[in-house]
Amino acid sequence: MDQNELNKLLSKLKLGSIRYFDSLGSTNDEALAWATSGAKDMSLIVADEQTMGRGRYDRPWFTPPGTALAFSLILRPALEERPHLSRLVGLAALSIAQAIQARGLYPEVKWPNDVLLNRRKVAGVLIELVWSGEDVENVVIGVGVNITKRSVPSTDILRFPATSLEDALGKPVERGEILYDILAAFISLRPQLGTDNLIKQWEKVLAYQGRQVQVEMGGGQTVTGKVAGLESDGSLKLRDEDGKPVTVRFGDVRLRPFA
Ligand code: ATP
Ligand code: BTN
């Protein structure tokens, strides 16, 4: 992959500018800097390798060269999108899921930000906001997808089992094609950001529906219940053992199937 190839590959999509790097600390850091210096809506940063890739709460995200898809998309949300920014993580995860479904696989979204294949993590989304006073001026949507077997970290650094598209498909995958399909899905889903339909589509791919899960909150608190769907802002709905609804809001939450 290089800058020219990427420009050509993505030329049919309505994107802002595109920047390619052989190696970066984190595409999200580069995107945050570019966003504050005036990047256009839908500008894109792609890196072959990340040396400081991160997930939520600065947890490391492994991106060795030549193995994975690592990119960040910069949005300048329109006024009508601003009340719905909490749904962007779902929009991004759904776009990844659709690109994977197109290859005959059955991805699931582990709320809030991970995409699973065969109950293992194959992709993750990291959303970061750039504020101007009270308003969100830019949103950076970071996406990491494990493409080849070598993109999967060793089990000692994993908090949750991982896989790659190559592992799941049993054959090599062209990462440019996956990038194209994720971006095309994102562009076509974006107008639905504020609609019930987005929540319905997100629910359809939600992992552990009707199953017992345990959610660990940042402060050490734990909630157990059955997955019952999503609230309209994208928060997770559970039912506890008495059938009482419990809402899990976004934050430092860690969801696990409860055996
Ligand atoms: P969890 O994944 O444990 O449910 P989480 O969603 O909060 O928790 P994240 O912050 O989303 O975790 O993701 C970062 C974690 O992902 C790291 O702590 C690491 O265990 C794992 N990880 C790092 N690189 C990869 C990768 N390429 N593929 C899959 N998992 C990875
Ligand atoms: C997660 O599971 O927590 C999300 C992982 C997000 C990784 C992507 S790779 C591209 C972008 N740059 C980063 O440093 N992180 C995101």
Side-chain angles (χ1 to χ4, degrees):
M1 207 184 267
D2 63 29
Q3 180 79 54
N4 284 337
E5 254 177 59
L6 203 59
N7 291 344
K8 211 166 128 197
L9 172 76
L10 304 176
S11 61
K12 290 208 183 85
L13 297 178
K14 278 202 176 142
L15 296 170
S17 308
I18 301 171
R19 290 183 182 170
Y20 170 80
F21 296 82
D22 285 329
S23 182
L24 268 182
S26 153
T27 57
N28 263 39
D29 288 342
E30 192 70 24
L32 287 167
W34 192 12
T36 44
S37 64
K40 285 185 283 192
D41 185 55
M42 293 299 284
S43 289
L44 178 72
I45 303 223
V46 180
D48 181 50
E49 173 193 37
Q50 292 186 117
T51 53
M52 299 273 283
R54 52 192 164 78
R56 298 178 314 143
Y57 300 90
D58 269 346
R59 289 189 276 265
W61 184 262
F62 186 65
T63 320
T67 67
L69 204 51
F71 68 87
S72 300
L73 195 58
I74 299 169
L75 301 192
R76 300 183 74 88
L79 266 186
E80 67 274 16
E81 291 179 314
R82 291 191 186 170
H84 308 296
L85 298 183
S86 63
R87 294 163 162 222
L88 279 173
V89 66
L91 182 67
L94 194 54
S95 307
I96 301 168
Q98 289 189 350
I100 294 176
Q101 279 165 351
R103 272 115 191 128
L105 299 170
Y106 297 92
E108 295 177 296
V109 175
K110 179 165 85 71
W111 188 88
N113 67 321
D114 294 327
V115 180
L116 308 182
L117 266 178
N118 306 321
R119 313 250 154 200
R120 293 165 172 269
K121 184 145 105 181
V122 69
V125 177
L126 174 67
I127 307 258
E128 295 182 293
L129 307 178
V130 180
W131 292 85
S132 168
E134 306 263 282
D135 294 323
V136 172
E137 203 165 45
N138 294 284
V139 180
V140 168
I141 303 179
V143 172
V145 185
N146 296 336
I147 303 286
T148 76
K149 291 175 196 286
R150 284 190 305 114
S151 62
V152 178
S154 66
T155 44
D156 51 319
I157 68 157
L158 286 178
R159 290 155 41 102
F160 191 87
T163 189
S164 65
L165 273 178
E166 186 182 49
D167 261 328
L169 269 176
K171 61 176 185 189
V173 181
E174 184 44 65
R175 67 180 159 164
E177 290 173 9
I178 305 282
L179 172 64
Y180 184 96
D181 287 357
I182 295 173
L183 292 170
F186 186 92
I187 290 167
S188 90
L189 286 166
R190 185 174 174 183
Q192 298 180 42
L193 184 68
T195 68
D196 290 349
N197 196 33
L198 181 85
I199 297 290
K200 283 195 192 122
Q201 291 185 75
W202 184 359
E203 279 180 331
K204 271 194 199 152
V205 289
L206 201 58
Y208 316 120
Q209 273 275 18
R211 283 190 49 197
Q212 192 85 350
V213 296
Q214 189 167 66
V215 184
E216 280 172 34
M217 316 290 191
Q221 195 200 345
T222 297
V223 182
T224 306
K226 280 192 181 150
V227 174
L230 297 166
E231 300 285 355
S232 77
D233 67 350
S235 298
L236 182 69
K237 277 198 286 200
L238 300 181
R239 289 215 176 264
D240 71 11
E241 55 214 23
D242 305 322
K244 254 194 6 235
V246 179
T247 300
V248 183
R249 311 229 167 256
F250 296 98
D252 189 6
V253 292
R254 191 175 182 205
L255 185 138
R256 294 287 180 273
F258 190 66

